[in-house]
Amino acid sequence: MSASDTTKKKIHTITKIAILTAIAVIVMLFEFPLWFAPGFYELDLSEAIILMGGFAMGPIAAAVIELLKNLINILINGTSTAFIGEFANFITGCSFVVPASIIYKYCKNRKGAVISLVVGSFSLAIVGSLLNYFVLIPAFSKFYELPLDAIVGMGSKVNPLVGDLKTLVMFAVAPFNLVKGILCSVINLLLYKRVSLILHK
C-alpha cells in the first residue's frame, strides 16, 4: 500500500468515526427510564451506533467513538454530576462495545456477531454492577450529600426487591444494563449488514 493510499484510508476512518460520533451524540439525547430502576438511571441506545463502528473498524475505533461521544455531550449539555455520569457512561459503554468488537474482529459471521453481543451484554452488566456498587453510587452520595439509604430508598419506591445497596445493584442496576445490552444488540443485528455496506466503502 502506497503512502497516499495509507493517508486516504486514515482520512476515511477519521471521517467514519466523526459521522458515527455525531449520530451517537444525537441518539444519546433521547434517554428514558425503566420501571424497575430509580429515575436517575436513564437508558440511551447510543451504544448501538458505536457497536456498528466497532464491528466495522475494530475495538479501538469503538473506544474512540465512546470517548468522543461523552466529551461532545459535556460540551453541549455540561455536567450535573461533576463528570461522574459521563465517566460511568464511558466505562460501561466501553465494557460493552470493546469486548464485542474484539470477538467480532476474529469471527466475522452471524454466529460470531451473536456471541460477541452476548459477551458484551454480560460484560456491561457485570462491569456496570461492580462500578456502581464500589464507585458510582458512593460518589453520587458524596456529591449530592445524600445518605446511601436515601438513594436505596429511591430504588425501593419503584422496585420492592430493593432493600439495600446490594439489592439495588442486583435488581435494578444489573437488569438495567442487561436490557440496554439486549436492545442495542438487537438494533445492531437488524441494521449492521445494511450500514456496513457504507462503512466498508
Side-chain angles (χ1 to χ4, degrees):
M1 184 180 291
S2 67
S4 62
D5 289 338
T6 302
T7 302
K8 287 179 182 179
K9 187 176 180 180
K10 287 181 180 178
I11 292 171
H12 285 163
T13 300
I14 292 170
T15 302
K16 287 183 282 190
I17 286 174
I19 292 170
L20 289 171
T21 299
I23 297 171
V25 169
I26 294 169
V27 173
M28 190 182 185
L29 297 175
F30 298 92
E31 298 177 311
F32 55 94
L34 295 176
W35 69 95
F36 55 79
F40 53 83
Y41 288 105
E42 291 192 311
L43 187 149
D44 76 82
L45 300 175
S46 57
E47 269 68 40
I49 307 301
I50 299 171
L51 272 172
M52 295 179 197
F55 275 24
M57 295 176 283
I60 294 175
V64 169
I65 297 169
E66 190 72 56
L67 176 62
L68 291 174
K69 178 198 75 173
N70 280 284
L71 291 176
I72 293 171
N73 184 61
I74 291 170
L75 290 174
I76 294 173
N77 297 314
T79 179
S80 59
T81 61
F83 306 107
I84 297 168
E86 291 76 21
F87 171 77
N89 191 280
F90 172 69
I91 296 298
T92 55
C94 282
S95 74
F96 179 33
V97 300
V98 171
S101 300
I102 290 172
I103 293 171
Y104 187 74
K105 182 178 180 179
Y106 296 101
C107 193
K108 291 191 175 185
N109 52 44
R110 190 165 185 82
K111 181 180 178 181
V114 171
I115 292 171
S116 70
L117 293 169
V118 169
V119 171
S121 296
F122 277 103
S123 174
L124 171 61
I126 293 167
V127 172
S129 297
L130 293 174
L131 196 62
N132 271 270
Y133 187 84
F134 290 107
V135 180
L136 298 177
I137 295 175
F140 273 116
S141 174
K142 184 176 180 180
F143 177 73
Y144 286 109
E145 297 182 348
L146 278 173
L148 282 174
D149 287 345
I151 296 175
V152 171
M154 295 177 192
S156 61
K157 282 183 180 179
V158 297
N159 188 336
L161 296 174
V162 174
D164 54 21
L165 180 58
K166 186 178 292 184
T167 51
L168 174 63
V169 170
M170 287 175 61
F171 298 117
V173 176
F176 178 93
N177 283 317
L178 268 179
V179 169
K180 179 173 183 171
I182 291 168
L183 289 176
C184 289
S185 296
V186 170
I187 292 169
N188 188 68
L189 286 172
L190 291 174
L191 298 181
Y192 177 68
K193 282 299 181 184
R194 298 175 186 177
V195 175
S196 67
L197 298 175
I198 300 170
L199 293 176
H200 288 293
K201 282 185 177 180

